[in-house]
Amino acid sequence: MMGVRKSKIDPCPLSLSLGKSPGVEKSQGCQESASKKPDDLPMHDLAEPSPTTPDPVPAGEHDGTEVQGDTLEEEEEEEVFLKFVILHAEDDTDEALRVQNLLENDFGIKPGIIFAEMPSGRQHLQNLDDAVNGSAWTILLLTENFLRDTWCKFQFYTSLMNSVNRQHKYNSVIPMRPLHNPLPRERTPFALRTINALEEDSRGFPTQVERIFQESVYQIQQSLWKDTRSSVRRQVLA
């Protein structure tokens, strides 16, 4: 799940002192001045009356209802279902950024993200789960560095298992050989050879991209993602 609900505790409304009107205080002062000394007078009679009385705070303005509603709306705006996430080796961050810009700017497939841009300070497993389940497609950047990184091997096996166990994630894992330092086909893990990979250096690359990243598929996965998040929210609030 991406995003954690935040709660706000509103400060208590300021207490308003109930003062007397200037006319009443003046009348009472004239009547009681002969029989009472200044030390015997109540403190509110000695105090200078305030020129105006603050308007009472409208009911519900500070009860947290409005703030909570705004918070929920802000969270909903921040929670975006991505078109794709690029899983890559640590040494391939620059290449992953180039591919991200290529897909977003040249083909209009946005928004996307690379794994290196996932929130810092969190466990890699949590980021991986959020990346895979919070996007319609998972792109595996197949380079020479990919197989050298044990974490990358875990990433692609986890992604494949997720696509098998969840019906709506079927065909959501996309291996891709980029222009720079691509992993040769003969050295590609067998589990990934069964999936047609995107070949950036091939003439049919634009056609492949259009055929894979279809808006209708994205809309279906986005709808399922929203339904799942709403169900979890209801369970938490119950």
Side-chain angles (χ1 to χ4, degrees):
M1 295 278 304
M2 301 182 71
V4 179
R5 182 178 303 281
K6 298 180 182 178
S7 61
K8 293 185 178 180
I9 301 178
D10 292 326
C12 296
L14 295 175
S15 299
L16 301 178
S17 59
L18 299 178
K20 298 182 179 180
S21 65
V24 175
E25 288 185 343
K26 183 176 179 181
S27 174
Q28 289 181 347
C30 293
Q31 296 175 0
E32 298 178 3
S33 58
S35 60
K36 289 187 179 181
K37 297 180 181 180
D39 293 341
D40 298 330
L41 294 176
M43 292 299 296
H44 65 267
D45 285 339
L46 293 176
E48 182 179 352
S50 91
T52 58
T53 302
D55 295 333
V57 179
E61 183 173 334
H62 295 292
D63 63 358
T65 304
E66 182 177 348
V67 175
Q68 184 179 7
D70 293 342
T71 303
L72 291 177
E73 291 180 1
E74 290 176 1
E75 288 181 358
E76 299 229 342
E77 291 178 358
E78 294 175 358
E79 296 169 353
V80 178
F81 186 67
L82 301 170
K83 288 285 183 74
F84 64 87
V85 60
I86 301 177
L87 303 184
H88 57 88
E90 185 177 355
D91 294 338
D92 290 332
T93 299
D94 291 340
E95 184 70 354
L97 282 171
R98 185 190 65 81
V99 172
Q100 177 189 5
N101 291 331
L102 172 70
L103 294 176
E104 288 188 327
N105 299 327
D106 292 3
F107 294 95
I109 306 171
K110 58 178 66 173
I113 195 173
I114 68 171
F115 190 78
E117 292 182 334
M118 295 296 293
S120 59
R122 290 166 52 181
Q123 294 184 355
H124 286 315
L125 289 178
Q126 181 63 50
N127 274 341
L128 178 60
D129 183 72
D130 289 345
V132 172
N133 294 316
S135 60
W137 292 280
T138 303
I139 300 175
L140 306 178
L141 201 63
L142 300 182
T143 66
E144 291 280 2
N145 298 321
F146 192 82
L147 292 183
R148 299 173 189 162
D149 196 329
T150 304
W151 170 241
C152 286
K153 294 180 182 178
F154 179 81
Q155 285 179 327
F156 87 74
Y157 278 121
T158 301
S159 301
L160 288 177
M161 289 302 298
N162 187 69
S163 67
V164 171
N165 293 329
R166 300 188 178 188
Q167 185 176 2
H168 71 283
K169 302 296 287 186
Y170 182 70
N171 282 340
S172 64
V173 177
I174 312 297
M176 177 176 175
R177 293 186 179 87
L179 286 177
H180 307 127
N181 199 27
L183 180 68
R185 294 179 182 83
E186 60 273 14
R187 293 177 51 203
T188 301
F190 178 78
L192 295 179
R193 291 186 196 179
T194 60
I195 306 174
N196 291 329
L198 274 171
E199 308 281 352
E200 191 178 358
D201 63 348
S202 69
R203 290 189 302 177
F205 178 71
T207 303
Q208 281 185 297
V209 171
E210 293 177 3
R211 186 177 69 249
I212 292 173
F213 300 98
Q214 297 182 18
E215 184 66 21
S216 59
V217 176
Y218 171 76
Q219 295 292 342
I220 292 173
Q221 291 209 30
Q222 183 186 45
S223 178
L224 292 171
W225 176 76
K226 288 182 177 180
D227 291 343
T228 301
R229 294 182 68 80
S230 298
S231 177
V232 171
R233 283 197 187 99
R234 287 194 295 268
Q235 293 177 6
V236 171
L237 297 175

